């Protein structure tokens, strides 16, 4: 029998371990809340490694599929968001390794490899946001290019801490590195960015790499549809 959704449940107010149990129990509303609440951070994290919107979205969907399949094993040793972030990082790194192997193979074959899949960092969502202004979009492009030019180890730490607001401790936990290393990389990332950006530009960082609106909704619906299909398939086997 399929689990019954309790419309009175306050998913936003739940402890992480309880939300994980709801998802593990097949609660589609809980899964929808989990995905919607984490889409932006996980997308930005994946982008910081791959620097490509399409690749980052693919990683995001793969991350959720893996996480929702294994969410029953979540023990609450870290926050649920940190747990998801670690999965996203591992998925993005795996995707990059595959891309690098493919590129090296093609180069060995004497084929010229072009970065045809890389989007312009100045672009926002696939669907244009009605309220976005041309000047702000241009500024976002400047910011995204500057952050994209950072070394990867600096870039991922910077995106997590400065854009997503993750604490140094949580970033260290997600990346599995010492807190001192996180602080050092942040300091060096800021130093590099200060050479290209005026100090007041930093206030616009929260608007960069947008993954909201229709993008977020589409990702949520895809993940929830897969979640329901898997849940119903498991129920049919009982």
């Amino acid at each position: 029998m399929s689990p019954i959704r309790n419309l009175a449940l306050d998913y936003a107010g739940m402890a992480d371990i309880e939300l994980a149990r709801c998802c593990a129990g097949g609660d589609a509303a809980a899964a929808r809340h989990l995905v919607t609440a984490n889409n932006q951070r996980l997308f930005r994290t994946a982008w910081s490694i791959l620097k490509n919107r399409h690749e980052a979205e693919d990683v995001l969907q793969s991350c959720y599929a893996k996480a929702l399949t294994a969410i029953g094993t979540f023990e609450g040793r870290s926050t649920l968001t940190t747990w998801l972030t670690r999965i996203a990082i591992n998925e993005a790194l795996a995707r990059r390794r595959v891309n690098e192997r493919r590129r090296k193979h093609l180069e060995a074959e004497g084929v010229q490899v072009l970065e045809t899949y890389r989007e312009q960092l100045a672009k926002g969502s696939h669907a244009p946001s009605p309220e976005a202004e041309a000047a702000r979009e241009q500024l976002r492009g400047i910011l995204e290019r500057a952050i994209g030019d950072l070394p990867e180890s600096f870039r991922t730490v910077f995106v997590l801490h400065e854009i997503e607001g993750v604490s140094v401790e949580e970033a260290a936990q997600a990346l599995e590195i010492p807190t001192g290393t996180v602080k050092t990389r942040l300091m060096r990332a800021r130093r590099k960015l200060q050479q290209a950006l005026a100090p007041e530009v930093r206030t616009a960082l929260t608007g960069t790499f947008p993954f909201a609106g229709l993008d977020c909704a589409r990702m949520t619906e895809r993940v929830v549809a897969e979640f329901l299909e898997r849940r119903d398939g498991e129920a049919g086997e009982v």
Side-chain angles (χ1 to χ4, degrees), residues 194-209:
Q194 285 172 355
Q195 297 172 1
L197 303 173
E200 61 269 20
V201 168
R202 186 181 178 279
T203 59
L205 280 172
T206 54
T208 56
F209 317 117

Side-chain angles (χ1 to χ4, degrees), residues 44 47-48 143 146-148 150-166 171 175 182 185-194 197 202 205 208-209:
R44 286 170 165 171
W47 180 91
S48 74
L143 284 165
I147 296 169
L150 289 172
E152 181 199 326
S153 59
F154 297 173
R155 187 171 61 246
T156 300
V157 166
F158 185 86
V159 168
L160 283 173
H161 184 70
E162 296 291 349
I163 301 180
E164 276 301 303
V166 175
L175 293 166
V182 172
R185 291 179 182 178
L186 279 172
M187 180 184 67
R188 292 178 178 174
R190 290 175 185 140
R191 190 176 298 160
K192 285 180 175 294
L193 287 175
Q194 285 172 355
L197 303 173
R202 186 181 178 279
L205 280 172
T208 56
F209 317 117

Side-chain angles (χ1 to χ4, degrees), residues 4-238:
I4 298 175
R5 173 183 171 185
N6 185 351
L7 296 176
L9 289 179
D10 176 18
Y11 298 108
M14 276 186 180
D16 283 355
I17 194 71
E18 292 301 321
L19 180 61
R21 285 173 183 166
C22 285
C23 291
D27 187 335
R32 185 185 301 278
H33 172 78
L34 179 75
V35 173
T36 303
N38 288 280
N39 266 343
Q40 180 105 302
R41 176 184 293 188
L42 300 188
F43 170 79
R44 286 170 165 171
T45 302
W47 180 91
S48 74
I49 294 170
L50 297 166
K51 296 203 296 182
N52 178 273
R53 290 190 67 89
H54 293 302
E55 294 270 328
E57 286 194 36
D58 286 347
V59 161
L60 205 58
Q61 191 156 355
S62 176
C63 167
Y64 284 130
K66 181 169 289 188
L68 287 170
T69 299
I71 202 165
T73 66
F74 176 74
E75 298 178 347
R77 296 180 182 178
S78 65
T79 67
L80 196 49
T81 295
T82 298
W83 185 73
L84 289 168
T85 301
R86 190 178 300 124
I87 294 174
I89 289 170
N90 289 337
E91 289 293 299
L93 290 173
R95 173 66 64 94
R96 192 182 63 183
R97 285 194 293 270
V98 169
N99 290 342
E100 288 176 349
R101 283 198 297 269
R102 183 182 300 117
R103 176 181 57 80
K104 289 178 180 178
H105 173 72
L106 291 174
E107 287 177 346
E109 294 291 326
V111 178
Q112 182 178 9
V113 179
L114 301 176
E115 294 182 7
T116 55
Y117 61 85
R118 183 174 181 178
E119 296 181 316
Q120 293 181 350
L121 295 178
K123 290 182 179 179
S125 304
H126 296 154
S129 176
E131 68 275 10
E133 298 179 0
R136 184 166 178 80
E137 289 300 315
Q138 184 177 15
L139 180 56
R140 283 178 180 171
I142 294 171
L143 284 165
E144 291 178 5
R145 282 193 295 274
I147 296 169
D149 287 338
L150 289 172
E152 181 199 326
S153 59
F154 297 173
R155 187 171 61 246
T156 300
V157 166
F158 185 86
V159 168
L160 283 173
H161 184 70
E162 296 291 349
I163 301 180
E164 276 301 303
V166 175
S167 69
V168 168
E169 291 74 18
E170 189 177 354
Q173 191 175 24
L175 293 166
E176 299 180 315
I177 58 177
T179 56
T181 302
V182 172
K183 292 176 181 177
T184 299
R185 291 179 182 178
L186 279 172
M187 180 184 67
R188 292 178 178 174
R190 290 175 185 140
R191 190 176 298 160
K192 285 180 175 294
L193 287 175
Q194 285 172 355
Q195 297 172 1
L197 303 173
E200 61 269 20
V201 168
R202 186 181 178 279
T203 59
L205 280 172
T206 54
T208 56
F209 317 117
F211 193 75
L214 291 176
D215 284 341
C216 180
R218 280 194 293 263
M219 176 60 68
T220 299
E221 292 309 312
R222 286 201 299 269
V223 172
V224 171
E226 289 184 3
F227 175 82
L228 289 172
E229 184 178 353
R230 184 166 58 250
R231 184 195 69 182
D232 294 342
E234 292 171 352
E237 294 174 359
V238 176

